[in-house]
Amino acid sequence: MVPWHNLDMAYTLDEKNTERQFLLARILNPLTRPVLERANVRPGGRCLDLGCGQGNTTRMLWETLRPSECVGMDFDPTLLEHAAAHPDNAPGVTFLQGDATKLSFADASFDIVFCRYLLVHLPNPISVIREMLRVAGPNGKVIVYEPDCAVQMSYPPSWALEKMGSIWDGLFPDSTIGRKLYSHFQSAGASRIDAGAVQHSETGSSDVRRVYRLSMYAAEGPIKARGLLSDGQFEDLVQELERLEQEPHAACFKFPDMWVIASL
Ligand SMILES: C[S@@+](CC[C@H](N)C(=O)[O-])C[C@H]1O[C@@H](n2cnc3c(N)ncnc32)[C@H](O)[C@@H]1O
């Protein structure tokens, strides 16, 4: 069986994807940190980062929440190898191969259970949230940060960005999971839920626009295999994103992200 996460995007460690993950961390970490701070977590606890990829989120959790231990878990062993080799890993940061949809940890074994941009890739997010709440237990907190990919725009406008919503929709099991997070946590049995949204706009930098283009390369196989774009349409889209990336005066609005901080 092909794991779900291989069906929409590749996370291979090639040059384009490594740059994509680096840029994503540069864009998303400053947006995620205020959410982590809002959770008001006591330092010294145990922290679990599901779908940690190259470990950028795991290291951010370590620095921001000051736990005694921070475990990054991912399905993909090659990403974990890369994550574990990072020179900035503190001794309390460790990495573990595993499937977020089948957590083998005991009830209440972590104080914080976190994921970012993971549930959007999974076909049954409510059952994953239920498991996150279980391993956090009644005194732990679950923090989730996910996208809602329907709308992205720029000025001057670009047809390529306007097309992106339908491409994400064709790729992910639920590309608009962000708006549903609050409801999903209620369905999963959370009792205390704090939720909000983050909108990021980019002027004077091209990181977001570049990530859009690099993401298209990461998803090229599924985009073509599912008939979302023909070879020619794919080339046109990438070319237009490249043009937009080089447009010095453009303002670009990335799709919004939504977050939840919750407990059982
Ligand atoms: C978009 S990346 C997010 C990486 C990181 N959380 C961040 O925000 O930079 C999604 C990650 O989830 C991992 N993943 C997908 N399905 C998974 C599963 N069932 N169990 C564990 N990891 C999974 C992928 O391998 C990938 O590294």
Side-chain angles (χ1 to χ4, degrees), residues 119-141:
L119 299 180
V120 68
H121 297 284
L122 303 179
N124 198 345
I126 297 175
S127 70
V128 179
I129 293 169
R130 201 173 285 126
E131 277 294 278
M132 294 174 85
L133 288 164
R134 179 185 69 75
V135 301
N139 299 319
K141 284 182 179 166

Side-chain angles (χ1 to χ4, degrees), residues 5 11 21 28 49-53 56-57 73-76 79 98-101 116-118 121-122:
H5 73 285
Y11 293 100
Q21 294 304 327
L28 294 179
D49 177 19
L50 296 176
C52 67
N56 293 316
T57 37
M73 183 178 167
D74 203 278
F75 202 86
D76 188 330
L79 292 181
D99 184 348
T101 66
R116 185 175 77 188
Y117 282 25
L118 169 71
H121 297 284
L122 303 179

